[in-house]
Amino acid sequence: MLIIPVALGTFILCFLVVPIILGIGKALGFYTIVDECKSKVFILFGKVITVIDEPGLHILPTKLGFHAFLVGLFGQVHEIDHRLDQEYLRSQSVNSEEGTPMGIGLWYEMKVSDPVAYLFKNTDPRGSLRANLSNATVRCLSNMPLETLMQDRHAMSRLVRDEVTPKTEAWGYRLGSVYIRKVHFRDLEMLRQIEQKVVNRLRQVTSAIRQMGANQVDVIKSTAEREAAAEFARARAMRPYLVGVALQEIAQDNEIMDAMFEILETEKMLSGEVDLTLVPPEQKSGLLSQLLASSKPA
């Protein structure tokens, strides 16, 4: 029977009484809680009495004494964020040494390093940092050669950072990395002319490469033709020698030689465009005398 009243009392104690007690203690200045990457500046009667930058629960009377109970009534507590922040400045106007109007895109990061200086040395540290970086970019990067502006971004980023860092340290605002992210032409007509020059140059280079390839092909082709002609001439010169050697081998056997010459003579007669009359061997002598007699003039 006592379980329900005990549970209800525990619920009221945990969810109602304890938060109320903690709220009253915090309002009276008995304790404070500092979050990670943050700090609190306690001000009483226009003076900074302490700065707490360690995260966790802090009992204020142990640090401020009886002033802890007066801060809530007559003082102020400023909570400062120490987390790293970043910003990007677009198209800062500079002119190159050749007079070319250029735009610089600048990325940078920053954080609070001294919370007291951040509160009292400058009314707008973030805006002042932005203005100083813009002025330093124009002042340090103007009149540089165009080639340097287009290529050496690391050195230019370091130059701008070294120019602005001492001023931001005095405000309690630490400048981190600075990087020139983009360099571009602001004159569109000049950009179009440069683009046209690049296109023309690419066409010239492409044509030169194509012509070089054609020349190499011609050289290879002429070399191959010369070697082939030499080989054909060598073969033509060797042909009589080879035919003579073959005829010499054939001449060693008379029957083969006679048969070869007879075949060659027959092929010669068959290939010629003349009338051919075949005479039997037994009528050869009589027919020949008749033909000779008929061919004599009357």
Side-chain angles (χ1 to χ4, degrees):
M1 296 298 291
L2 295 176
I3 295 176
I4 296 177
V6 171
L8 182 59
T10 304
F11 174 79
I12 294 173
L13 181 64
C14 293
F15 291 95
L16 295 178
V17 177
V18 172
I20 292 174
I21 294 174
L22 293 177
I24 294 173
K26 187 175 182 180
L28 293 177
F30 184 75
Y31 75 94
T32 188
I33 296 175
V34 179
D35 296 331
E36 190 74 25
C37 294
K38 290 185 179 180
S39 66
K40 286 188 176 181
V41 180
F42 293 83
I43 302 174
L44 182 62
F45 302 127
K47 291 185 177 179
V48 178
I49 55 176
T50 190
V51 177
I52 301 177
D53 54 3
E54 290 292 332
L57 177 64
H58 298 272
I59 306 300
L60 291 180
T62 60
K63 296 178 179 296
L64 306 179
F66 70 93
H67 291 158
F69 304 105
L70 299 179
V71 171
L73 300 175
F74 305 104
Q76 294 175 331
V77 179
H78 294 277
E79 188 177 43
I80 306 300
D81 193 345
H82 290 265
R83 289 177 296 181
L84 192 66
D85 199 0
Q86 57 186 6
E87 194 167 337
Y88 182 63
L89 293 179
R90 297 180 182 277
S91 191
Q92 303 300 304
S93 302
V94 299
N95 290 324
S96 68
E97 188 180 39
E98 297 83 358
T100 306
M102 305 292 292
I104 304 292
L106 187 69
W107 175 88
Y108 61 96
E109 58 184 14
M110 63 285 186
K111 68 176 184 178
V112 177
S113 59
D114 186 348
V116 177
Y118 176 76
L119 285 175
F120 300 106
K121 293 293 183 63
N122 194 318
T123 56
D124 185 12
R126 192 184 184 96
S128 297
L129 176 61
R130 186 185 306 112
N132 273 274
L133 278 171
S134 178
N135 294 333
T137 302
V138 176
R139 186 170 56 254
C140 297
L141 305 185
S142 291
N143 297 323
M144 275 190 171
L146 181 60
E147 183 179 359
T148 304
L149 286 174
M150 299 297 293
Q151 296 181 357
D152 200 1
R153 298 186 183 185
H154 179 69
M156 293 190 298
S157 303
R158 189 172 51 193
L159 188 62
V160 174
R161 187 180 186 279
D162 294 341
E163 177 72 15
V164 179
T165 297
K167 298 178 182 177
T168 60
E169 291 288 347
W171 304 333
Y173 213 45
R174 180 171 298 168
L175 182 63
S177 299
V178 177
Y179 182 67
I180 293 178
R181 189 174 175 182
K182 181 179 181 182
V183 178
H184 63 93
F185 293 95
R186 290 189 291 114
D187 190 342
L188 297 180
E189 181 63 22
M190 180 176 292
L191 182 62
R192 191 190 62 78
Q193 292 177 358
I194 293 175
E195 182 181 356
Q196 187 62 38
K197 288 182 179 179
V198 172
V199 171
N200 293 337
R201 181 58 181 163
L202 288 176
R203 288 176 178 172
Q204 292 176 357
V205 172
T206 303
S207 177
I209 293 174
R210 188 174 298 168
Q211 184 62 39
M212 184 182 300
N215 294 338
Q216 290 180 352
V217 170
D218 291 340
V219 170
I220 294 172
K221 185 178 179 181
S222 61
T223 303
E225 289 178 349
R226 185 174 65 253
E227 291 178 355
E231 292 299 327
F232 280 123
R234 186 177 295 108
R236 194 178 295 112
M238 290 293 294
R239 183 174 180 277
Y241 170 75
L242 296 176
V243 172
V245 171
L247 291 176
Q248 187 177 4
E249 292 178 357
I250 293 172
Q252 293 177 0
D253 191 335
N254 292 330
E255 292 182 358
I256 296 175
M257 186 176 64
D258 292 341
M260 182 191 70
F261 282 112
E262 186 173 355
I263 292 171
L264 292 176
E265 185 178 2
T266 303
E267 288 181 348
K268 190 68 176 178
M269 287 188 294
L270 292 175
S271 61
E273 297 179 354
V274 296
D275 296 333
L276 182 63
T277 303
L278 299 177
V279 179
E282 60 273 10
Q283 297 179 0
K284 184 176 180 180
S285 59
L287 183 58
L288 181 62
S289 58
Q290 293 177 5
L291 291 174
L292 293 175
S294 61
S295 60
K296 291 181 179 178

